[in-house]
Amino acid sequence: MAILVVGSVAFDSIETPHGKVDHCLGGAATYFSLAASYFTDVRVIAVVGEDFLPSHEAVFKARGIDVQGIEHAPGLSFHWT
């Protein structure tokens, strides 16, 4: 039985005293899906924008996560700073 994850697949820009990263793959559904994929099958449902590239989707696929529920919509993906 698979876990169905519904949530944000987004981009994060993070700055700490140790460094800064712009537009890294983030979002609660991303983190949960990747962690859960070590224990069971995972399916993710989320909406992303035109800036969500095949290389971003490949991160999910590399862990065997079912990405058929990721909808690509016009505009940009959610971005948290």
Side-chain angles (χ1 to χ4, degrees):
M1 178 179 287
I3 291 179
L4 178 63
V5 180
V6 180
S8 62
V9 171
F11 293 109
D12 294 340
S13 292
I14 303 167
E15 184 172 359
T16 72
H18 302 285
K20 180 178 180 179
V21 178
D22 286 322
H23 282 84
C24 64
L25 186 58
T30 300
Y31 298 129
F32 185 90
S33 296
L34 291 171
S37 70
Y38 284 91
F39 304 102
T40 191
D41 295 332
V42 179
R43 296 177 179 160
V44 64
I45 294 177
V47 177
V48 296
E50 298 162 326
D51 55 345
F52 190 80
L53 305 175
S55 60
H56 299 118
E57 199 165 285
V59 173
F60 292 88
K61 290 180 178 179
R63 292 288 319 138
I65 298 168
D66 182 345
V67 295
Q68 290 182 22
I70 294 181
E71 180 180 335
H72 295 260
L76 299 176
S77 300
F78 176 73
H79 178 219
W80 181 87
T81 302

